[in-house]
């Protein structure tokens, strides 16, 4: 119990970890609030949870005002992905970084327009930022699928060459590859859940835009957020939008 509390405190002490916790609370509140408000339209608890979720969402948007430089530092350090073995993974990662980098200023302008700090309509900037987020998610899904195929080939190669290695070493390599494949599968599930919400927030008429009830938005976001927390606790780096 004490170890779990200490691990949770360690997560809260980092900016990314705290953001994941706030994100989980935000979507979890929307999930429960949406279910309560749907069953009983006059449910004060459901409405309060939905309002709480909205405030947490505004909090995360404000905190992301300071994410541009850290994203730029990551994009610069990754560069053209010269360290990647696979060309497809490299270019999908580069394009994903570009989409993520452009996402932040678009969202900042939308936020500033809503706060009446700049004289422009926020709608188109929210749509643009959501579109960039969706593009980044699609690239992330494709990259994870590609990584799984590469890892499976490595696992097959490891199995064929296992007879030439010690049993313990071969087992360790296979276990490490299985963990990586599982991590990529979780990343795909997380990105698919977020992509569902990204499409929902696009203008009406685009696929299923605007058709999700609040509880379903909360369910998708909670699923993605819990996976993010799981990856954080497993020391698996990842970012959430």
């Amino acid at each position: 119990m004490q170890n779990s509390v200490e691990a949770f405190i360690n997560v809260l002490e980092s900016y990314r970890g705290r953001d994941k916790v706030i994100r989980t609370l935000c979507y979890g509140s929307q999930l429960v609030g949406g279910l309560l408000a749907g069953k009983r339209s006059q449910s004060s608890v459901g409405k309060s949870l939905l309002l709480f979720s909205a405030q947490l969402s505004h909090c995360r948007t404000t905190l992301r005002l300071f994410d541009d430089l850290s994203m730029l530092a990551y994009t610069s350090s990754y560069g053209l992905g010269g360290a990647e073995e696979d060309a497809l993974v490299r270019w999908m990662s580069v394009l994903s970084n570009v989409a993520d980098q452009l996402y932040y200023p678009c969202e900042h302008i939308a936020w500033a327009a809503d706060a009446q700090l700049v004289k422009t309509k926020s709608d188109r900037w929210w749509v643009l930022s959501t579109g960039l987020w969706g593009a980044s998610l699609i690239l992330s899904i494709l990259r994870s699928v590609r990584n799984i195929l590469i890892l499976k080939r490595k696992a097959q190669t490891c199995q064929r060459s296992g007879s030439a290695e010690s049993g313990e070493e071969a087992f360790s390599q296979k276990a490490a590859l299985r963990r990586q494949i599982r991590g990529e599968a979780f990343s795909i599930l997380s990105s698919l859940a977020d992509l569902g919400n990204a499409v929902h927030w696009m203008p009406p008429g685009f696929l299923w835009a605007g058709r999700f009830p609040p509880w379903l938005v909360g369910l998708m976001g909670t699923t993605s957020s819990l996976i993010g927390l799981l990856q954080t606790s497993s020391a698996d780096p990842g970012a959430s939008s």
Side-chain angles (χ1 to χ4, degrees):
M1 179 65 180
Q2 184 177 358
N3 290 337
S4 299
V5 173
E6 290 178 355
F8 183 68
I9 292 173
N10 288 334
V11 169
L12 288 176
E13 285 181 344
S14 69
Y15 169 72
R16 295 298 174 192
R18 188 182 300 116
D19 179 69
K20 291 180 186 297
V21 172
I22 296 174
R23 189 182 199 272
T24 304
L25 286 174
C26 174
Y27 283 115
S29 299
Q30 188 168 6
L31 170 59
V32 178
L35 288 172
L36 291 176
K39 289 182 178 180
R40 293 179 294 176
S41 58
Q42 300 300 320
S43 172
S44 60
V45 176
K47 290 180 179 179
S48 295
L49 286 172
L50 290 175
L51 289 172
F52 179 62
S53 173
Q55 290 302 314
L56 290 179
S57 179
H58 292 324
C59 170
R60 295 186 65 235
T61 301
T62 304
L63 289 175
R64 283 197 295 270
L65 292 171
F66 307 97
D67 282 355
D68 298 74
L69 289 179
S70 59
M71 185 65 217
L72 181 60
Y74 173 78
T75 302
S76 300
S77 64
Y78 187 85
L80 295 179
E84 296 285 358
E85 298 177 1
D86 185 75
L88 281 176
V89 171
R90 179 168 64 249
W91 287 110
M92 282 188 287
S93 297
V94 169
L95 291 174
S96 178
N97 289 341
V98 171
D100 288 340
Q101 192 70 64
L102 293 174
Y103 164 85
Y104 289 107
C106 291
E107 185 187 57
H108 300 341
I109 295 173
W111 171 86
D114 282 344
Q116 298 183 347
L117 297 176
V118 296
K119 293 182 179 180
T120 184
K121 291 184 178 180
S122 65
D123 294 356
R124 55 185 168 186
W125 292 104
W126 284 121
V127 170
L128 184 55
S129 64
T130 303
L132 288 167
W133 181 37
S136 175
L137 290 168
I138 292 172
L139 288 166
S140 177
I141 292 168
L142 294 175
R143 182 178 60 208
S144 291
V145 170
R146 178 65 176 174
N147 280 332
I148 288 176
L149 294 176
I150 294 172
L151 290 168
K152 284 186 175 181
R153 282 203 297 266
K154 288 183 178 180
Q156 292 173 353
T157 302
C158 178
Q159 187 173 1
R160 286 195 295 266
S161 61
S163 57
E165 301 174 351
S166 66
E168 184 176 350
E169 183 179 355
F171 178 81
S172 177
Q173 289 180 354
K174 291 177 185 177
L177 289 171
R178 282 198 296 268
R179 284 195 298 271
Q180 292 180 59
I181 291 173
R182 186 167 57 249
E184 294 291 351
F186 275 123
S187 293
I188 291 173
L189 179 59
S190 175
S191 294
L192 283 172
D194 281 337
L195 184 61
N197 280 343
V199 173
H200 166 72
W201 287 318
M202 292 297 285
F206 180 77
L207 298 178
W208 56 86
R211 298 182 183 178
F212 282 7
W215 69 265
L216 184 53
V217 174
L219 177 62
M220 292 292 188
T222 301
T223 300
S224 171
S225 300
L226 289 176
I227 291 173
L229 283 175
L230 177 64
Q231 291 175 327
T232 298
S233 64
S234 302
D236 186 17
S240 63
S241 299

